[in-house]
Amino acid sequence: MILIKTKNEIDYIRESCQIVADTLKLVSTYAKVGVTTLELDKIAEDFIRSNNSIPAFKGYSQAGSIDFPGTLCTSVESEVVHGIPSNRVLVDGEVLSIDVGVIKNKYYGDSAVSIAIGEISDEKKQLMKVTEEALYKGIEASVEGNRFGDISYAIEEHVNQYGYGIVRELCGHGVGRYLHEDPQIPNFGKSNSGPKIKNGMTFAIEPMINLGTHAVRVEKDGWTVKTADNSTSAHFEHTVAIINGKPEILTSR
Ligand code: MG
Ligand code: MG
């Protein structure tokens, strides 16, 4: 069931989303060659807690794996999503995807960004650019009267022009009282399909796009999703609310 939020609820979600956006902004300034993903994680956790909020991913449980240990998901290069912060040092030329969720006043916010570490290749620059553009295509399609399939279709249409792989196993989702609510929003699909988009809906759109094929596998840690062909991957995500028929980006930086 897709929950319709009241104005009050959207205000709470907006507040959580703004802390998410500020966290990504802050962490991005520290994400440089020579820094470890665990150092970034500490910066994020301290910032979130200092804003009287809770890191939403930390302790998140999933059948068959340990509770997620990080505040951030830090996914480097061929890691698509759910990378665990570690002592791994960031190297020049890498793509780092940072995903973060926050709970404040019992409501969630969720957003992700891919950033370049040092100087990256033109091929990776284009991957990042197209993935972010695809996110905005999905957001543009998020208007009252459209259906969720229109979001999926807009993303797929854009990405297909470049021949990249669209990850199929993971997708966008409703956000609010829970980190993952209905509906699921795949990054590929048919236009004019799925539930109707209505005022008061709040959801995250998050294309995960690979330089190579769409195939992914999960690492032994039970969390880290990697491209099957070891190609580089990018991930951009915003939480939006439908207000007066149009999408408001709640996690805008
Ligand atoms: Mg999400
Ligand atoms: Mg996320």
Side-chain angles (χ1 to χ4, degrees), residues 57 73 81-82 98-101 109-112 173 179-180 204 206 235 237-239:
F57 299 168
C73 293
V81 287
H82 305 162
I98 307 171
D99 194 347
V100 64
D110 187 11
S111 183
H173 51 90
L179 180 59
H180 296 118
E206 50 178 319
H235 179 208
E237 175 181 30
H238 273 311
T239 299

Side-chain angles (χ1 to χ4, degrees), residues 31-160:
K32 301 243 184 319
V33 174
V35 173
T36 69
T37 51
L38 200 56
E39 288 171 307
L40 299 179
D41 194 67
K42 171 95 173 76
I43 291 164
E45 180 169 2
D46 289 349
F47 179 77
I48 290 167
R49 295 202 190 277
S50 74
N51 278 280
N52 300 316
S53 35
I54 302 165
F57 299 168
K58 201 164 183 143
Y60 195 87
S61 60
Q62 168 183 280
S65 42
I66 54 159
D67 290 355
F68 194 80
T71 288
L72 303 175
C73 293
T74 51
S75 308
V76 185
E77 280 293 298
S78 61
E79 295 172 354
V80 179
V81 287
H82 305 162
I84 297 174
S86 72
N87 290 317
R88 188 194 182 290
V89 173
L90 295 170
V91 174
D92 187 48
E94 290 183 325
V95 171
L96 168 68
S97 299
I98 307 171
D99 194 347
V100 64
V102 157
I103 315 168
K104 189 169 185 181
N105 304 312
K106 296 185 177 154
Y107 285 88
Y108 285 80
D110 187 11
S111 183
V113 64
S114 288
I115 57 177
I117 302 302
E119 192 58 40
I120 62 168
S121 68
D122 289 345
E123 193 183 36
K124 291 180 189 177
K125 274 183 201 159
Q126 182 177 273
L127 172 73
M128 281 176 45
K129 180 170 175 278
V130 170
T131 306
E132 189 169 23
E133 284 168 359
L135 167 60
Y136 283 94
K137 296 281 181 191
I139 294 171
E140 278 170 32
S142 304
V143 294
E144 200 185 28
N146 267 3
R147 293 177 182 271
F148 278 93
D150 293 309
I151 300 174
S152 307
Y153 177 78
I155 293 169
E156 183 179 15
E157 272 282 292
H158 187 65
V159 174
N160 277 352

Side-chain angles (χ1 to χ4, degrees), residues 19-41:
I19 296 165
V20 165
D22 291 344
T23 305
L24 286 178
K25 227 157 80 177
L26 176 71
V27 169
S28 298
T29 65
Y30 287 93
K32 301 243 184 319
V33 174
V35 173
T36 69
T37 51
L38 200 56
E39 288 171 307
L40 299 179
D41 194 67

